[in-house]
Amino acid sequence: MGAVNASSPGLGTSGHIGTNVDEARRILAASRRIVAFTGAGVSAESGIPTFRDAGGLWERVSPEEFGTPWGIADLVRRRPDRLVEVLAELAGVVLEAEPNPAHQTIGALERAGRLAGVVTQNVDDLHERGGTRTIRKLHGDLGRFRCLGCDRTDMRSREALAAIVRGLTATAALTADQLLAAAPRCPSCRALERPDVVLFGEMLPESEVEGARRLLADADCLLVVGTSGSVEPAASFARTVVRGGAPMIEINLAPTDLTPLATVSLFAPAGEILPELVTEG
Ligand code: NAD
Ligand code: ZN
């Protein structure tokens, strides 16, 4: 196992760094069914901050209030303007973001027939826009809405999302009733809809977890990018693949709970190092 801080003293200038980059390149070049397992860090260089890192969302607002269904229900009643402010900020950042070279490299590997798919904890659409076709989204999708009445789900375009945010932010000192009036409604039963993302205390979508398991069961290399691995099932997924004999390459800014499992860990920004690891063919 090798670990290296590739961002200092400089990528590729030290023998140790070179050795680890070379090993990661060799592993990737020899693999034909790579599965990328990604977290918030893969989108950080696209301008979407991670939640848990220093300065992240969970330092500014409480996850108990803003990250749970009961906390959000309470905010709708008692502090609707603050809820909309936080949601609008998040949505604004995600709507502005473009895929970075890490998303694009992962997309290119799939096009080249070397990567079987992506399993992600992210709720943005940057993998898809970076060329990924096969993706399992364990924490849901910010662009999808789910009806609280009939459970129907609906993908909304970026324009439709922006219009929802504009509708919600148009009124100053928004009341709970005004929030509910401006919130999206189900096209078939007119009940309220919510973003189809997994909040704290909620189950992961079974079909996505099953799909992820199938992808991982067949993986010949696990490429873990930008996740702390502190939220299950990240760690158990990684353990299963590694126990099955496949090598694991980890890319993160710093060591994580998954680092002891890695064949090679590279500590550098994903958008800088991933393109360095992939050669043609
Ligand atoms: P997390 O626990 O997976 O942590 C993010 C990891 O990314 C950290 O280990 C950090 O060191 C690493 N990282 C940061 N910048 C990086 C970079 N440039 N290159 C490589 N690694 C980098 O995720 P979290 O922030 O605690 O978020 C928890 C959950 O919230 C996510 O699983 C997701 O469901 C949701 N979330 C989604 C997004 C998104 O969709 N883009 C963003 C934030 C949070
Ligand atoms: Zn409905």
Side-chain angles (χ1 to χ4, degrees):
M1 183 195 316
V4 63
N5 187 335
S7 55
S8 156
L11 190 60
T13 55
S14 126
H16 192 38
I17 291 163
T19 309
N20 281 276
V21 168
D22 285 348
E23 190 178 356
R25 276 193 189 129
R26 261 197 308 277
I27 294 170
L28 288 175
S31 304
R32 290 295 174 272
R33 294 185 313 280
I34 303 164
V35 174
F37 184 74
T38 68
V42 78
S43 296
E45 289 153 79
S46 294
I48 306 178
T50 63
F51 282 179
R52 225 178 293 268
D53 293 313
L57 185 71
W58 299 142
E59 265 185 11
R60 291 188 290 131
V61 304
S62 127
E64 180 63 27
E65 271 186 299
F66 284 84
T68 64
W70 52 91
I72 290 173
D74 194 56
L75 286 164
V76 169
R77 281 195 307 276
R78 294 192 308 108
R79 291 164 70 201
D81 47 347
R82 179 64 181 140
L83 175 63
V84 164
E85 194 183 350
V86 170
L87 288 180
E89 181 193 318
L90 285 178
V93 165
V94 173
L95 286 169
E96 292 270 297
E98 297 290 336
N100 70 52
H103 302 105
Q104 282 153 354
T105 301
I106 290 169
L109 278 169
E110 185 179 357
R111 270 198 306 281
R114 294 165 53 191
L115 181 137
V118 173
V119 177
T120 189
Q121 299 166 100
N122 291 348
V123 297
D124 64 45
D125 60 354
L126 297 182
H127 277 302
E128 294 93 321
R129 291 168 62 215
T132 291
R133 297 276 168 272
T134 309
I135 185 162
R136 294 300 182 171
K137 300 182 94 161
L138 299 176
H139 292 174
D141 195 325
L142 206 57
R144 196 172 55 219
F145 281 75
R146 178 153 50 82
C147 174
L148 295 174
C150 71
D151 227 32
R152 167 192 162 134
T153 56
D154 242 332
M155 276 309 287
R156 298 284 167 92
S157 66
R158 296 162 72 74
E159 293 71 29
L161 283 180
I164 292 169
V165 174
R166 274 198 305 276
L168 286 169
T169 49
T171 315
L174 191 80
T175 64
D177 286 344
Q178 285 168 328
L179 190 162
L180 295 177
R185 297 267 162 186
C186 172
S188 68
C189 80
R190 306 304 301 159
L192 271 180
E193 288 183 319
R194 59 167 273 184
D196 197 16
V197 297
V198 176
L199 300 171
F200 288 112
E202 295 187 318
M203 302 278 288
L204 303 188
E206 192 52 42
S207 61
E208 297 300 291
V209 174
E210 260 317 300
R213 286 217 176 91
R214 277 198 301 276
L215 267 179
L216 290 161
D218 205 32
D220 63 358
C221 170
L222 181 65
L223 177 62
V224 178
V225 187
T227 180
S228 66
S230 60
V231 180
E232 280 296 342
S236 48
F237 277 173
R239 260 195 308 277
T240 307
V241 176
V242 169
R243 278 200 196 121
M248 167 178 154
I249 298 168
E250 176 186 45
I251 297 175
N252 201 299
L253 297 182
T256 70
D257 292 353
L258 301 179
T259 303
L261 290 172
T263 315
V264 191
S265 288
L266 297 168
F267 300 128
E272 289 178 24
I273 191 121
L274 247 179
E276 298 278 322
L277 301 182
V278 176
T279 45
E280 298 301 312

